[in-house]
Amino acid sequence: MSDYLHESFLPPPRLLMGPGPINCDPRVLRAMSYQLVGQFDPAMTRCMTETMALYRGVFKTKNPWTFIVDSTARGGIEAAMVSLLNPGDKVVVPVFGRFGLLLKEIAERCGALVHTLDLEWGQVAQPEQIEAAIHRFNPKLVALVQGDTSTTMCQPLADIGPMCFDMGVLTYCDATASLGGNDFRTDEWKISAVTAGLQKCLSGPSGSAPITLSSQAVDEINKRRHVEAGIKAAHHTEATGSRISSNYFDLAMIMDYWGEERLNHHTEATSMLYGARECARILLEEGVDNTVARHKQNGDALAAGLRAMGLTLYGEQSQRMNNVVGVYIPEQVNGDRVRQQMLEDFGIEIGTSFGPLHGVIWRIGTMGYNARRSAVLQTLASLEQCLLLNGLKLPAGAAVRQALSVYQ
Ligand SMILES: *Cc1c(COP(=O)(O)O)cnc(C)c1O
């Protein structure tokens, strides 16, 4: 056992090529090491305001209410749900992977009546299916996941968002795994509320949940403001529906904190804010579309290399997320043993799977800072070696060569 009192924790060097988290961009780590400033220091409030502006760029939105929920991505989901949904509200959730199930569970915990659109894992929802579900259930909200890392599939939203908007139904999207690595257009697609995290394509650690809210979503949240004696109720007097059951995730309160009033809520997670700001800067400096293209190129190179090894990719490749590839574990090898060798001998982490895909596929990510050629080539070369060591017959050298040809 290490002398934990006298030694600080030194993480082993790893290349994180699973479905998240990934290695942080060193710029983000540097930003997070800066000294704290006070909660209401003008420098701090300026940093918050700048961060809001930066994330409008990331989300491709003009929404004034674009800010950060201080929690991991799951907290962002919960904040959106608990603030938008009254007990008894109807919600439609397409479920085609683990994170669809999470949306269902959180909406149910908010007391909503959830109608799931149960799709086979690996599928995505078609606009007609959503339309039919809206006619059938008349929901207040359609909640969907854009990139469900559990299946590697990317839900198209360009038709569904505007359709829901025209039908008067709010939309919520969990873009945690996809934002920055796949095209996302909040305003053009008319999505009412979107949340994300930093630890996938944004090159940061988990612990910050960027969020953007359309005016429809903000109106809905403001309807439920609870007017309490002694607390200034801002300009919203019509409180309808029930009180938001969470204090920490009450978006009305968090907006008062991020907005001009700067009403105290929680102590800002300052170091995470510095990190989130830097993540957005990195993305916008490269350009959102260029970053997406880089994810696509690296995902394609990884996929080509895996195929060249003779492995079979999981799911319809035309609707795969750019940043994570599912690959069937060859029957001749023990999947966990290969992952363990990858970690112990090569310092590379690749992902296992959940639910019906457990033990069936590995998931390999190329996201954020790790969506780069050297990371992809190292992963392919190491995996090839591990598979050879485990007795699999494959064309040695083909994977890296094939991946390289994608970059040329
Ligand atoms: C990774 C991921 C999350 C994870 O949220 P955390 O709370 O940050 O662990 C949520 N949704 C999706 C779609 C994800 O891929």
Side-chain angles (χ1 to χ4, degrees):
M1 197 169 125
S2 65
D3 183 356
Y4 55 81
L5 183 60
H6 297 105
E7 286 171 14
S8 32
F9 175 67
L10 285 181
R14 301 282 196 226
L15 181 60
L16 301 178
M17 300 298 282
I22 45 84
N23 298 87
C24 282
D25 189 306
R27 277 176 57 179
V28 178
L29 296 178
R30 184 181 61 191
M32 292 182 67
S33 70
Y34 291 149
Q35 189 51 274
L36 306 187
V37 291
Q39 177 91 332
F40 298 104
D41 189 310
M44 180 65 171
T45 50
R46 181 164 51 87
C47 179
M48 291 170 73
T49 305
E50 288 168 357
T51 303
M52 295 171 87
L54 287 164
Y55 275 92
R56 283 183 203 112
V58 174
F59 282 114
K60 292 196 174 175
T61 184
K62 293 197 169 63
N63 287 339
W65 288 112
T66 302
F67 52 100
I68 305 278
V69 177
D70 287 332
S71 75
T72 72
R74 189 177 294 238
I77 303 171
E78 196 145 335
M81 294 280 192
V82 79
S83 302
L84 284 170
L85 296 174
N86 278 295
D89 280 346
K90 285 186 263 176
V91 182
V92 164
V93 182
V95 175
F96 49 83
R98 180 175 183 241
F99 288 102
L101 286 170
L102 179 66
L103 295 188
K104 170 181 186 274
E105 191 211 302
I106 293 177
E108 280 173 348
R109 284 182 186 237
C110 295
L113 302 173
V114 181
H115 299 282
T116 55
L117 203 58
D118 294 304
L119 303 158
E120 226 177 285
W121 280 42
Q123 300 293 305
V124 291
Q126 303 303 320
E128 307 77 56
Q129 293 173 299
I130 304 274
E131 189 182 12
I134 291 174
H135 283 309
R136 202 155 149 228
F137 301 115
N138 189 27
K140 168 178 174 178
L141 177 77
V142 172
L144 0 79
V145 180
Q146 187 193 25
D148 201 314
T149 40
S150 65
T151 67
T152 76
M153 293 300 128
C154 191
Q155 169 68 56
L157 296 164
D159 295 330
I160 290 173
M163 180 188 77
C164 291
F165 183 85
D166 290 343
M167 294 174 88
V169 179
L170 294 170
T171 43
Y172 162 77
C173 181
D174 174 7
T176 304
S178 47
L179 189 70
N182 303 266
D183 195 21
F184 195 93
R185 309 174 188 206
T186 305
D187 287 0
E188 202 180 313
W189 297 347
K190 294 184 158 59
I191 312 288
S192 321
V194 189
T195 64
L198 305 183
Q199 76 270 32
K200 309 281 167 78
C201 301
L202 295 180
S203 299
S206 78
S208 242
I211 183 170
T212 188
L213 300 169
S214 72
S215 58
Q216 288 79 16
V218 172
D219 287 348
E220 195 57 40
I221 292 163
N222 281 338
K223 273 189 210 161
R224 295 177 62 199
R225 278 175 183 274
H226 193 79
V227 186
E228 272 190 284
I231 295 180
K232 202 160 116 225
H235 20 273
H236 312 280
T237 45
E238 271 174 73
T240 58
S242 68
R243 187 179 192 187
I244 294 173
S245 63
S246 170
N247 172 300
Y248 190 74
F249 289 131
D250 182 342
L251 287 178
M253 292 172 88
I254 299 176
M255 287 192 289
D256 286 344
Y257 168 60
W258 280 78
E260 281 175 10
E261 304 200 32
R262 306 263 177 218
L263 294 184
N264 194 23
H265 183 242
H266 59 289
T267 308
E268 180 52 25
T270 312
S271 306
M272 282 309 303
L273 176 71
Y274 296 163
R277 183 180 180 281
E278 193 67 8
C279 287
R281 252 164 46 78
I282 291 168
L283 193 80
L284 297 179
E285 271 175 21
E286 184 179 8
V288 181
D289 296 339
N290 293 336
T291 309
V292 171
R294 171 166 57 82
H295 280 87
K296 174 155 174 45
Q297 186 184 48
N298 285 284
D300 285 350
L302 176 70
L306 294 169
R307 272 208 178 104
M309 272 186 231
L311 303 179
T312 307
L313 304 185
Y314 170 80
E316 173 54 46
Q317 293 301 297
S318 62
Q319 57 196 33
R320 176 172 59 71
M321 297 162 71
N322 290 329
N323 51 306
V324 51
V325 180
V327 57
Y328 283 96
I329 302 167
E331 274 176 21
Q332 304 92 315
V333 306
N334 176 325
D336 286 339
R337 186 143 125 233
V338 170
R339 283 182 56 243
Q340 192 186 341
Q341 273 178 337
M342 286 286 283
L343 192 70
E344 285 176 4
D345 293 339
F346 296 92
I348 299 177
E349 180 179 284
I350 63 169
T352 176
S353 294
F354 303 101
L357 297 175
H358 182 75
V360 178
I361 65 168
W362 290 308
R363 294 174 304 149
I364 308 182
T366 51
M367 20 188 136
Y369 184 63
N370 288 351
R372 61 175 200 273
R373 186 192 313 217
S374 61
V376 168
L377 298 180
Q378 284 170 43
T379 303
L380 286 169
S382 309
L383 182 62
E384 180 189 279
Q385 196 54 241
C386 288
L387 291 174
L388 287 168
L389 289 169
N390 280 273
L392 197 73
K393 301 250 180 313
L394 52 82
V400 168
R401 213 177 312 127
Q402 194 60 42
L404 276 171
S405 76
V406 173
Y407 292 110
Q408 265 137 31

